[in-house]
Amino acid sequence: MSGKLFRNFSFLSATLSFFILVGIFAVLFTYAQDAMHEFGFDFLFNETWEADEDDEGGIFGGFIPIIGTLLSTLIAMLIATPLAMGISIFLTEIASETIAKPVSIAIELLAAIPSIIYGMWGLFYFAPIVHDIFGGNGVGLLTAGIVLAIMIIPFMAAITRDSMNTTPQVLKESAYAMGATKFEVIKDVVMPYAKGGIIGSIILALGRALGETMAVAFLIGSVMSLPGKITDPTTSIPVLLANNFAEAQDLEMSSMYFLALILFVVSFFIISIAKFYFLGKPVKVKK
Amino acid sequence: MTDNNLVLEIKDFSFTYASADAPSLKKINLPIEENKITAMIGPSGCGKSTLLRAMNRIHDLYPGNKYEGEINLYREAQEKENILHLKKENDFIKLRQEVGMIFQKPTPFPMSIFDNVAYGLKLAGLKNKTELKDRVEKALKDAAIWKETKDRLNQSALGMSGGQQQRLCIARAVALKPRVLLFDEPTSALDPISTGAIEELISEIKSEVSMVIVTHNMQQASRLSDYTAFMYLGDMVEYDKTENIFLNPKEKLTEEYITGRFG
Amino acid sequence: MNRLLLNKIILVLSTLSAVIGIGFLFWILGTLSYKGISSIHWSTFANDLVEGGIRNLLVGQFTMALLASALAVPLGMMAGIYLREYGHGSKLASLIRNLSDIMMSAPSIVIGVFVFALFVDPFGGYNGYAGIIALAIMMIPIIISTTDNMLALVPKELREAGIALGGSKHKIILQIVIKAAKVGITTGVLLSFARIIGETAPLLFTSANNQFFTMDLSGQFPSLTVSIYNLATYPDSASRELAWAASFILTMIVLCINLIGRYAIRNKK
């Protein structure tokens, strides 16, 4: 292969991800047109999701899946953030190397388990526990939120640990040398030093929770209704898409594309903020 | 040498790192005189930093190290305490407030200049705002960077130059009014002008605090210190008044080192 | 003293969270092994889904993941090479790098919807090709980012030395730079393979599922993960058992590839 050809092929490959991203946006936007024209901005706030008898039209509003997505994510974040912080503090500041290493591996393995496994495990083992403690019928917002939390904890902990590890040892020593306790060193030196990475990891985990499908699909109940209590079943955008997208027709299908577009755009912004505002640029060239 | 004005006294002190079989310091004896500057010199790996880091027990951040012997800290009225016996976190905190430390690289915390200096004071429980302000101002004046910092106290300390940062770290340590300050090669990361400023500062605060300085730079040791200890391979080879060490060393090894024949 | 107590409390809580994290790993792996191993029989591997086994599902899942890799690895590596070796520093390269980073975290269900619109709907139905494309779209950004980052770790001098010997740029890249970054890139490829082989959402309405053994990619294609999702929600115990067996096997595959990628290769060097 000549140099020129090689270079051009590599350039084309590089532009591919650009075209995929733009392509996703364009396709979703195009197919969502019918729903956008029909419902407009009200789509976001309308609770009704009903097809007409003849399946040709109907009234479709995204309020319930949007709220379900937001609430399950919120529950997951509230549980996951403190636990992930605790784990990273344990790994970077408390555990000796002989303990930190296997625990780190375990956390990384936990992050690698496919989400469908979390969903299935949650359905058969965790939902009954939630049912016993909090009532409800087991599946619902709370169960989905907790299992979602379990799923994003290792992800969040791994990035937070990495950024806490960048704190220079001598900086910590010099705080200890002034009589600081371990917690004070963490709070006043490590956390501020690793702030960007920590916030970035939280936001990335948020993005992941918003778009998670399989873990939530087993557990949220997949019911088109607003939850009155925290244990009530409801649905989320990814779950609605997973279960009903393929069978939908015409306007309902277009409404599904609209929901996918909303999810995509929101994720896009969340990830962008995390990456470019908090996590900085990726690896720099080593000289 | 009299025992009258000791602030620290190291007696038959041996130290073994957790990961090592052999001790890194062997039966060290060294007096640290009050309101004097003691320099510790010797080639890399001789154990001078290891000894320094034992004096505020910062080694204890990493578990498994073994101590033997005594390091006595003298307080008012000749009352002494062997700091190697300390076990409780609270006692370590107290020790580190009495024995401060300055590191090789400047270590400003990721906070404002004011907060950096106030940090130790706040840890020590000082809450009164005006007193905090006064103590910070005094410490910055003592460390001779008040002029450069008084208009930017609320700015991040990370924006200062390396030399300024190191003086800020000294101010931060001085603010706690420690009895001893430990310097671990405080100027080796700095340019000559900043080094001069730091050395001047060290001479000036001598009246308030006793100091121990580990240095690679023999001119620095001879310029600054009252006493000098020469260490080699974990042994204390010679300790004496600085002029004696440099002009009239008793040990052949010392002479070879200070004349630059090895190290 | 107050601050000491606070210190203790925080340290205990942190340790506790680590214990909880590890606890969940063992809980999940424990129930998975218990349920999975007791549900695995010889027939599980010998039969296809239609006869209560997962043979066709395993073959199908691996076929799609491998073909997706065959598509994504060369494209992703070439893109990574462009970003680091040719376009380095240019605005376009940094735009592409950023977009590809964002793609890496895009919701997988949305990718499924996108592929459905382009490769399922117009072609009259679910097909294996669509599944492969969806998985490849998930994989490409990961390969780009790994290649980019690993090439960045290759010292500049190595390239300069090659050029100084009179090598042409693309030959140096192919023969020296890529070789120097081989270990890291291989790890990245393995980890991304482990990621896509466990994916469900992008397959749900692209390749969908098939009860029978088939190698025909133009029709519905058997998938282990999609089958787990279906089987787990069936009321009969035989289906659930099969779901557990499949989940156990899937998790073992994913974790083994992860361990090999993360530790075996890296340590061997």
Side-chain angles (χ1 to χ4, degrees), chain C:
Chain C
M1 201 173 165
N2 228 340
R3 47 193 284 246
L4 288 181
L5 188 67
L6 183 64
N7 182 49
K8 279 254 160 60
I9 292 172
I10 298 291
L11 297 190
V12 168
L13 286 180
S14 297
T15 312
L16 203 65
S17 20
V19 171
I20 292 173
I22 302 296
F24 274 115
L25 179 69
F26 282 110
W27 190 2
I28 293 172
L29 290 185
T31 50
L32 201 57
S33 313
Y34 167 72
K35 281 285 191 178
I37 293 172
S38 63
S39 309
I40 292 177
H41 312 285
W42 171 242
S43 62
T44 314
F45 295 103
N47 292 347
D48 296 333
L49 181 59
V50 67
E51 298 149 328
I54 61 167
R55 182 183 70 134
N56 67 324
L57 305 178
L58 270 175
V59 173
Q61 193 86 7
F62 265 99
T63 306
M64 283 194 288
L66 284 172
L67 290 176
S69 309
L71 205 60
V73 173
L75 285 173
M77 273 181 69
M78 287 303 277
I81 287 172
Y82 178 80
L83 294 185
R84 184 57 57 184
E85 304 293 333
Y86 291 107
H88 186 51
S90 77
K91 282 227 173 83
L92 180 70
S94 85
L95 175 74
I96 289 174
R97 180 175 291 137
N98 292 342
L99 292 183
S100 148
D101 270 358
I102 291 173
M103 276 298 297
M104 202 153 48
S105 310
S108 54
I109 190 88
V110 173
I111 292 172
V113 170
F114 168 69
V115 173
F116 177 90
L118 288 189
F119 299 98
V120 176
D121 217 10
F123 293 94
Y126 304 127
N127 62 85
Y129 296 111
I132 291 167
I133 291 168
L135 292 181
I137 290 177
M138 299 214 54
M139 198 174 184
I140 286 173
I142 314 180
I143 304 285
I144 293 180
S145 146
T146 311
T147 309
D148 186 16
N149 290 339
M150 292 303 134
L151 292 181
L153 296 176
V154 177
K156 210 170 65 186
E157 290 74 14
L158 212 58
R159 300 179 177 88
E160 288 170 356
I163 299 281
L165 286 173
S168 63
K169 183 160 182 169
H170 77 283
K171 279 199 176 129
I172 307 260
I173 293 171
L174 282 172
Q175 292 161 1
I176 299 174
V177 181
I178 290 284
K179 278 211 179 108
K182 196 173 63 186
V183 175
I185 295 177
T186 313
T187 300
V189 169
L190 280 175
L191 293 186
S192 58
F193 183 81
R195 164 115 189 255
I196 61 162
I197 202 162
E199 275 295 341
T200 315
L203 299 178
L204 284 173
F205 30 78
T206 51
S207 60
N209 199 8
N210 197 327
Q211 289 190 298
F212 302 95
F213 189 96
T214 177
M215 278 296 180
D216 177 15
L217 288 164
S218 60
Q220 294 201 2
F221 209 69
S223 154
L224 189 64
T225 48
V226 175
S227 299
I228 293 174
Y229 185 48
N230 296 333
L231 289 168
T233 46
Y234 290 158
D236 63 302
S237 62
S239 295
R240 280 191 189 174
E241 276 187 18
L242 196 58
W244 281 114
S247 299
F248 175 71
I249 290 162
L250 175 70
T251 308
M252 288 305 116
I253 292 169
V254 169
L255 292 188
C256 285
I257 299 175
N258 255 277
L259 284 173
I260 293 170
R262 270 174 213 276
Y263 307 105
I265 289 187
R266 202 167 289 173
N267 295 339
K268 221 169 119 196
K269 193 109 206 195

Side-chain angles (χ1 to χ4, degrees), chain B residues 67-79:
Chain B
Y67 298 96
E68 273 169 59
E70 296 175 26
I71 297 182
N72 294 313
L73 177 65
Y74 284 82
R75 299 221 166 76
E76 314 298 320
Q78 291 301 303
E79 181 199 328

Side-chain angles (χ1 to χ4, degrees), chain B residues 74-131:
Chain B
Y74 284 82
R75 299 221 166 76
E76 314 298 320
Q78 291 301 303
E79 181 199 328
K80 68 174 180 180
E81 179 180 33
N82 184 350
I83 63 166
L84 299 183
H85 290 164
L86 299 180
K87 283 207 177 65
K88 289 197 206 122
E89 175 134 38
N90 203 8
D91 295 331
F92 283 128
I93 290 174
K94 239 174 68 198
L95 169 69
R96 287 163 191 162
Q97 284 164 351
E98 285 178 297
V99 184
M101 190 170 222
I102 308 295
F103 295 80
Q104 185 166 1
K105 284 202 181 121
T107 54
F109 298 141
M111 43 180 95
S112 72
I113 293 172
F114 182 90
D115 287 340
N116 258 282
V117 182
Y119 186 64
L121 297 169
K122 282 185 190 158
L123 288 183
L126 189 64
K127 292 212 176 70
N128 185 318
K129 283 254 165 70
T130 41
E131 201 184 339

